[in-house]
Amino acid sequence: MTTSASQAMTPSQLPASVDVVVIGAGPSGSIAALTLAAAGRSVLILERRSLPRFHIGESQLCYTAEILRQTGLYDEAKSQGYPVKTGAEFIFPNGDFRRTNFADQGPGHGAPWLAWAGSSPGRASRLA
């Protein structure tokens, strides 16, 4: 069960008991809730904002691809047409600059997407 600012629930609409309450329906909370629900736990997800939402700086790491595969969300996330994030650049306080190419992370990880936050976590939280 999911609740957000746009779907505010009254206390009488909340279940009397759940096994787990997950606070936050972003990528981590949604995947955690989906995994717990798949294991037979009753889950209540609480989110203060409505989804989907744009959030600057939100993207996934290379290793997220495997988590999405394990939860059955990879193909759907890939089909959303999000820009592929092929690397990252870091500028340190001392002025040093470093660029990381995600292809160097090894086979099977895939490149992450920018702004995955809108649809797939929402789908994961609905599935949970």
Side-chain angles (χ1 to χ4, degrees):
M1 178 178 293
T2 305
T3 184
S4 70
S6 66
Q7 302 171 317
M9 298 178 81
T10 65
S12 64
Q13 292 173 304
L14 294 172
S17 172
V18 294
D19 295 325
V20 180
V21 174
V22 174
I23 299 174
S28 298
S30 294
I31 295 297
L34 178 62
T35 302
L36 288 162
R41 301 288 185 216
S42 60
V43 181
L44 174 65
I45 303 173
L46 302 176
E47 173 59 54
R48 67 182 170 142
R49 297 184 187 174
S50 59
L51 293 172
R53 66 179 172 84
F54 178 73
H55 183 59
I56 292 176
E58 188 136 351
S59 62
Q60 304 306 302
L61 299 173
C62 299
Y63 301 100
T64 304
E66 181 56 30
I67 293 169
L68 292 173
R69 284 186 190 97
Q70 290 173 6
T71 56
L73 294 172
Y74 181 85
D75 290 335
E76 181 179 337
K78 186 176 180 180
S79 74
Q80 296 298 311
Y82 297 120
V84 175
K85 181 178 176 182
T86 59
E89 297 178 348
F90 303 94
I91 301 174
F92 297 91
N94 66 0
D96 285 350
F97 173 83
R98 184 175 306 150
R99 179 175 288 157
T100 300
N101 183 341
F102 291 147
D104 297 337
Q105 301 299 308
H109 296 298
W113 297 282
L114 293 170
W116 176 67
S119 297
S120 294
R123 168 125 167 91
S125 62
R126 285 190 307 276
L127 290 171

